[in-house]
């Protein structure tokens, strides 16, 4: 089967690496791809915002499955255009992608289907939002309703912070995404991310992970897209995973089908494991980046067959095996990230780092100039390792990091610290 993979980050490199191992794979194309993906796929310049052009490409190159990595093309309706043209696609319709595209949409789905989540209210103007804040007090969480590249959330410890966050939203700090604001109760517990591949009616559990969003060690400093991750998430015991499926994910799929927007693709549930049980913080409609990188290291099954089964509504008939080992990824970012990253610095030692046992280096934001590898983004490399425990995986990942010669980059040295501390206690 010929496959078109849409995206250009470390997530897509990990997907391409795993797809390339499939005996079912014919030719793999990536739009636009990156220098790491180019080892497994033919990278093509295709304007993915031009749905007609994507459909034409798929017809011409006999694409049997389109896999969409990032959320933006999904929210823009690329899956609808492909489905209307009779082309199989792994990824939700624009309507179903509102699970990520609108916080209020997801909250309403939770309310209609008794799905456990933080208590909430939605506002379209600052005075009403502030009056509500005065009533409920702090701590409290303020969210821009729409897609704000992970930056639209403030966990406010004081009312002043909460007021400032509301003002930012309505003054346009997040553009249209901030035209409405969701205010919700602060949940207390340990966070975990759970992944499910879905075919509209069936959800197949697809691994768990924990990420580190803050740029600085000890989880301090501004939030990023993610500075590292590990899998599995220790809080997700088999019992807790079963509860998440039963209490959160299955009712969500039923609710989406009932509203005529069945969900196909990856459902990424961001959860808080509270004393009362699992509660939904948010959904994303795609794999996490860098969570996908650790999931792909642990998946012991044919990714292409699984994603094709999801796209074709056949998940009832399949299962996925996972390695017992843990996986951990360290994100190497260009200096300046998450502000403006310095571009164009040279990266050396990649091959040596990639030869450390159990290690895969995924490219996130790189470019080739002749045979020189250069930084071309904020998050640049994902140094990823498999090991008998999170601690072993971490040691392998950092020994590979130490072989990379890149003065223009940095990484956190403490990825996985909670799990490592847990393992040290036994
Ligand atoms: P989100 O973009 O919705 O994933 O939120 C970003 C981060 O904010 C989450 O990963 C949590 O750490 C935190 N967060 C969001 N909502 C809540 C909440 N209701 N209670 C506590 N923390 C939250
Ligand atoms: N790493 C978080 C995300 O992909 O949303």
């Amino acid at each position: 089967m010929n496959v078109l993979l849409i995206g250009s980050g470390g997530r897509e490199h990990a997907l391409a690496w795993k797809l390339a191992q499939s005996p079912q794979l014919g030719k793999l194309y990536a739009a636009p791809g990156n220098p790491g993906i180019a080892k497994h796929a033919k990278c093509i310049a295709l304007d993915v915002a031009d749905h007609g052009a994507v459909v034409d490409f798929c017809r011409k190159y006999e694409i049997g499955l389109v896999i969409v990595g990032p959320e933006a093309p999904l929210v823009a309706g690329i899956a609808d255009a492909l489905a209307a043209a009779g082309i199989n696609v792994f990824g939700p319709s624009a309507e179903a992608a509102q699970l990520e595209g609108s916080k209020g949409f997801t909250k309403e789905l939770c309310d209609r289907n008794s799905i456990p989540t933080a208590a909430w209210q939605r506002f379209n103007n600052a005075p009403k939002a502030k009056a509500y804040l005065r009533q409920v007090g702090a701590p409290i969480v303020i969210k821009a309703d729409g897609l704000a590249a992970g930056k639209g959330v403030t966990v406010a410890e004081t009312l002043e912070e909460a007021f400032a966050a509301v003002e930012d939203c309505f003054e346009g700090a997040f553009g249209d995404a901030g035209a409405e604001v969701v205010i919700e109760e602060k949940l207390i517990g340990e966070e975990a991310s759970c992944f499910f591949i879905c075919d509209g009616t069936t959800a197949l559990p697809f691994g768990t992970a924990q990420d580190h969003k803050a740029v600085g060690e000890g989880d301090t400093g501004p939030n990023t897209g993610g500075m590292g991750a590990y899998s599995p998430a220790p809080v997700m015991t088999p019992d807790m995973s079963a509860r998440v499926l039963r209490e959160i994910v299955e009712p969500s799929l039923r609710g989406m089908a009932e509203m005529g927007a069945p969900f196909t693709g990856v459902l990424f549930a961001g959860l808080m494991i509270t004393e009362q049980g699992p509660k939904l913080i948010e959904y994303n409609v795609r794999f996490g980046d860098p969570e996908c990188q650790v999931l792909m290291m642990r998946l012991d099954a044919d990714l292409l067959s699984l994603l094709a089964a999801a796209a074709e509504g056949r998940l009832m008939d399949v299962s996925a095996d996972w390695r017992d080992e843990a996986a951990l990824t360290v994100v190497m970012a260009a200096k300046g990230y998450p502000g403006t990253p310095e571009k164009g610095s040279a990266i050396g030692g990649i091959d040596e780092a990639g030869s450390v046992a159990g290690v895969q280096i995924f490219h996130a934001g790189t470019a080739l100039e002749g045979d020189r590898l250069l930084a071309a983004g904020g998050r640049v490399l994902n140094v990823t390792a498999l090991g008998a425990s999170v601690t072993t995986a971490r040691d392998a990942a950092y020994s590979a990091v130490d072989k990379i010669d890149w003065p223009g980059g940095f990484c956190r040295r403490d990825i996985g610290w909670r799990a490592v501390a847990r393992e040290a206690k036994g």
Side-chain angles (χ1 to χ4, degrees), residues 86-98:
I87 297 160
N88 273 338
V89 53
F90 179 78
S93 66
E95 202 183 350
Q98 287 182 81

Side-chain angles (χ1 to χ4, degrees), residues 252-342:
S252 296
L253 284 195
R254 278 197 300 273
M256 293 298 288
E258 273 163 19
M259 49 183 297
F263 185 90
T264 302
V266 187
L267 199 53
F268 162 177
L271 303 166
M272 190 71 85
I273 309 304
T274 71
E275 278 177 0
Q276 299 93 45
K279 293 196 179 182
L280 182 68
I281 297 177
E282 61 156 2
Y283 277 132
N284 294 305
V285 299
R286 45 155 181 100
F287 282 111
D289 185 347
E291 291 90 334
C292 183
Q293 290 80 316
V294 286
L295 297 182
M296 290 306 113
M297 295 292 276
R298 295 189 56 240
L299 179 64
D300 195 11
D302 178 5
L303 177 66
L304 179 51
S305 310
L306 291 168
L307 301 189
E312 292 162 14
R314 297 185 284 104
L315 276 183
M316 276 289 273
D317 307 329
V318 302
S319 62
D321 288 326
W322 297 86
R323 291 167 175 273
D324 291 331
E325 291 108 310
L328 179 142
T329 188
V330 177
V331 171
M332 298 189 76
K335 284 184 181 162
Y337 181 75
T340 308
E342 292 170 18

Side-chain angles (χ1 to χ4, degrees), residues 103 118 141 143 150 153 155 184-187 191 213 223 272 281-282:
K103 312 252 182 218
V141 181
K143 301 184 173 185
V153 175
V155 180
E184 63 178 44
E185 160 203 11
K186 182 184 173 188
L187 298 172
E191 277 188 68
K213 287 203 173 74
N223 269 355
M272 190 71 85
I281 297 177
E282 61 156 2

Side-chain angles (χ1 to χ4, degrees), residues 59-422:
R59 291 203 170 120
K60 183 161 175 206
Y61 292 92
E62 298 178 340
I63 300 297
L65 181 66
V66 178
I67 300 169
V68 185
E71 65 278 15
L74 294 167
V75 171
I78 197 167
D80 307 76
L82 288 163
I87 297 160
N88 273 338
V89 53
F90 179 78
S93 66
E95 202 183 350
Q98 287 182 81
L99 282 177
E100 174 160 358
S102 162
K103 312 252 182 218
F105 178 90
T106 300
K107 286 299 209 177
E108 281 165 6
L109 178 83
C110 288
D111 287 356
R112 276 199 310 277
N113 296 279
S114 308
I115 295 165
T117 188
W120 70 290
Q121 293 281 337
R122 179 159 48 179
F123 298 93
N124 61 12
N125 68 73
K128 281 201 178 131
K130 287 184 178 174
Y132 176 72
L133 285 174
R134 273 188 214 99
Q135 198 183 316
V136 293
I140 191 85
V141 181
I142 317 292
K143 301 184 173 185
D145 183 74
L147 279 183
K151 298 194 179 102
V153 175
T154 304
V155 180
E157 296 303 329
T158 64
L159 262 188
E160 290 68 48
E161 268 180 84
F163 284 160
V166 162
E167 279 160 17
D168 277 354
C169 278
F170 288 119
E171 280 163 14
F174 310 109
D176 290 345
E180 295 201 358
V181 165
V182 167
I183 299 184
E184 63 178 44
E185 160 203 11
K186 182 184 173 188
L187 298 172
I188 311 290
E190 186 160 349
E191 277 188 68
S193 300
C194 293
F195 296 84
F196 301 84
I197 59 173
C198 305
D199 67 1
T201 47
T202 301
L204 178 68
F206 215 63
T208 65
Q210 244 154 281
D211 78 339
H212 293 271
K213 287 203 173 74
V215 72
E217 277 156 26
D219 297 319
T220 55
N223 269 355
T224 69
M227 293 301 289
Y230 53 97
S231 171
V235 280
M236 294 311 300
T237 58
D239 174 55
M240 193 55 74
S241 297
R243 285 189 67 179
V244 170
L245 188 61
R246 195 174 62 238
E247 296 172 19
I248 298 180
V249 174
E250 288 177 346
S252 296
L253 284 195
R254 278 197 300 273
M256 293 298 288
E258 273 163 19
M259 49 183 297
F263 185 90
T264 302
V266 187
L267 199 53
F268 162 177
L271 303 166
M272 190 71 85
I273 309 304
T274 71
E275 278 177 0
Q276 299 93 45
K279 293 196 179 182
L280 182 68
I281 297 177
E282 61 156 2
Y283 277 132
N284 294 305
V285 299
R286 45 155 181 100
F287 282 111
D289 185 347
E291 291 90 334
C292 183
Q293 290 80 316
V294 286
L295 297 182
M296 290 306 113
M297 295 292 276
R298 295 189 56 240
L299 179 64
D300 195 11
D302 178 5
L303 177 66
L304 179 51
S305 310
L306 291 168
L307 301 189
E312 292 162 14
R314 297 185 284 104
L315 276 183
M316 276 289 273
D317 307 329
V318 302
S319 62
D321 288 326
W322 297 86
R323 291 167 175 273
D324 291 331
E325 291 108 310
L328 179 142
T329 188
V330 177
V331 171
M332 298 189 76
K335 284 184 181 162
Y337 181 75
T340 308
E342 292 170 18
K343 283 203 177 153
S345 55
I347 304 167
I350 287 270
D351 292 342
E352 211 191 337
S355 66
V356 173
V359 167
Q360 289 295 330
I361 314 253
F362 297 120
H363 291 231
T366 63
L368 273 177
E369 198 180 81
D371 56 5
R372 283 191 345 134
L373 188 67
L374 304 179
R379 296 187 294 171
V380 173
L381 296 171
N382 309 137
V383 182
T384 313
L386 203 57
S389 62
V390 174
T391 309
T392 327
R394 176 201 62 173
D395 292 346
Y398 281 111
S399 86
V401 164
D402 290 338
K403 293 189 185 342
I404 292 175
D405 176 17
W406 180 29
F410 73 97
C411 66
R412 278 181 57 168
R413 299 292 315 190
D414 66 344
I415 299 305
W417 64 271
R418 274 194 203 85
V420 167
R422 230 180 250 229

